[in-house]
Amino acid sequence: MTVVTPFYDKKNQCLSCKHSYSTTRIRSRFVKLAGYDSDFCPLYQSDEVNPLLYNVSVCPQCGFSYTDDFTAYIPPVLKSELEKKISLHWQPQDYGKIRSYEDAVNTYKLAAYCALIKKEKKVTTAGLYLRTAWLYRKIDDKEQERRFINLAAHEYIDAYVTDGASGSMMSETKLLYIIAELLRRQDKIEEAAAYLSKVISKQHLSNEPKIIEMARERWYEIREMHKEMKTM
């Protein structure tokens, strides 16, 4: 009798060099979600059966790293840049097997660098930074978690200012909320409150009541914090 494990091999073809390779993925039926943090970080029941570890595909031949959020087409001039900045310096290595949290962090950093070179949407790069922060949170590296939360916040703000919600894969409600929450986690309370007020003021245009509720909860927390500071 064949024993089905949570892991399987997915066939990939590198978007850059066209090399064929396989990479590990997790069967969805084995994924047990326990909840979410206030910045949407998924909390899984198992540390090992965690899809976050396997989101990034890394070509073992050229080093090009990407997620399903990347666009498939790479213009020739950008392909040349990828070769110059990544492939020429790449030491062949295989991230296609079972990954540790350190391995996963490395794959996200590679993907973020590729996203910048390839000129992916800012929300795509922001998402890579945010997921890197989540992985650092999981291994309790607060300094690096804060660093990548800061990088993610800057990219999300640039995305909102430059393209607005129309240029994002997120709704305006979710984009404004995540900016506010990442600012709050950096103790930039006034800036966070300003973005939360945008979420709440636009609630009549939103069909995401859960995010509106989360925004109200964060707003309440900030208000209570201000009250405590005044009484100190």
Side-chain angles (χ1 to χ4, degrees):
M1 182 177 174
T2 303
V3 177
V4 179
T5 73
F7 307 99
Y8 70 96
D9 289 334
K10 179 186 176 185
K11 299 296 183 184
N12 269 5
Q13 184 180 56
C14 179
L15 298 179
S16 183
C17 74
K18 305 305 179 185
H19 174 68
S20 294
Y21 63 98
S22 63
T23 189
T24 297
R25 290 287 187 269
I26 295 180
R27 292 185 173 91
S28 58
R29 70 175 182 269
F30 286 91
V31 177
K32 306 298 182 185
L33 187 64
Y36 293 92
D37 278 342
S38 57
D39 61 354
F40 305 120
C41 175
L43 306 174
Y44 297 106
Q45 291 181 9
S46 168
D47 286 344
E48 290 75 34
V49 186
N50 183 341
L52 279 174
L53 299 174
Y54 300 97
N55 274 344
V56 179
S57 297
V58 180
C59 176
Q61 182 158 295
C62 77
F64 181 72
S65 307
Y66 64 100
T67 67
D68 291 342
D69 293 329
F70 279 47
T71 56
Y73 177 66
I74 307 177
V77 64
L78 296 183
K79 187 173 288 191
S80 176
E81 283 293 295
L82 287 166
E83 290 171 0
K84 190 187 310 178
K85 294 180 178 177
I86 295 175
S87 303
L88 287 177
H89 309 282
W90 180 250
Q91 299 294 321
Q93 51 193 304
D94 188 2
Y95 282 105
K97 308 301 182 186
I98 301 298
R99 291 176 185 170
S100 66
Y101 276 80
E102 182 181 7
D103 290 336
V105 164
N106 289 340
T107 68
Y108 278 100
K109 289 179 179 177
L110 283 166
Y113 188 41
C114 289
L116 291 171
I117 297 169
K118 189 175 174 296
K119 303 187 186 303
E120 287 289 339
K121 285 179 177 289
K122 290 182 180 296
V123 288
T124 298
T125 308
L128 293 166
Y129 289 145
L130 181 57
R131 283 157 180 78
T132 308
W134 293 345
L135 292 174
Y136 276 122
R137 183 179 307 164
K138 192 68 179 174
I139 59 177
D140 201 30
D141 188 332
K142 291 181 171 54
E143 182 180 347
Q144 288 300 320
E145 178 192 347
R146 191 178 180 92
R147 176 189 167 212
F148 278 90
I149 280 177
N150 179 53
L151 289 169
H154 277 293
E155 287 295 312
Y156 279 128
I157 291 169
D158 281 352
Y160 181 69
V161 171
T162 305
D163 303 320
S166 61
S168 167
M169 294 173 286
M170 294 182 179
S171 66
E172 184 174 21
T173 300
K174 188 170 185 178
L175 182 57
L176 289 169
Y177 172 83
I178 195 62
I179 291 171
E181 176 58 10
L182 296 182
L183 290 169
R184 188 185 72 86
R185 284 174 176 265
Q186 298 173 77
D187 301 318
K188 297 177 180 177
I189 303 304
E190 297 301 327
E191 293 174 65
Y195 277 97
L196 286 173
S197 68
K198 291 177 188 285
V199 177
I200 295 168
S201 69
K202 295 173 181 286
Q203 62 183 300
H204 61 289
L205 301 173
S206 174
N207 59 357
E208 296 172 291
K210 179 61 179 174
I211 296 179
I212 299 297
E213 180 186 341
M214 291 169 72
R216 289 184 179 279
E217 288 171 357
R218 302 293 85 72
W219 181 267
Y220 179 78
E221 289 168 7
I222 288 174
R223 190 177 66 179
E224 290 302 301
M225 188 173 67
H226 275 302
K227 285 181 182 177
E228 289 175 12
M229 289 171 65
K230 287 180 180 177
T231 58
M232 288 176 66

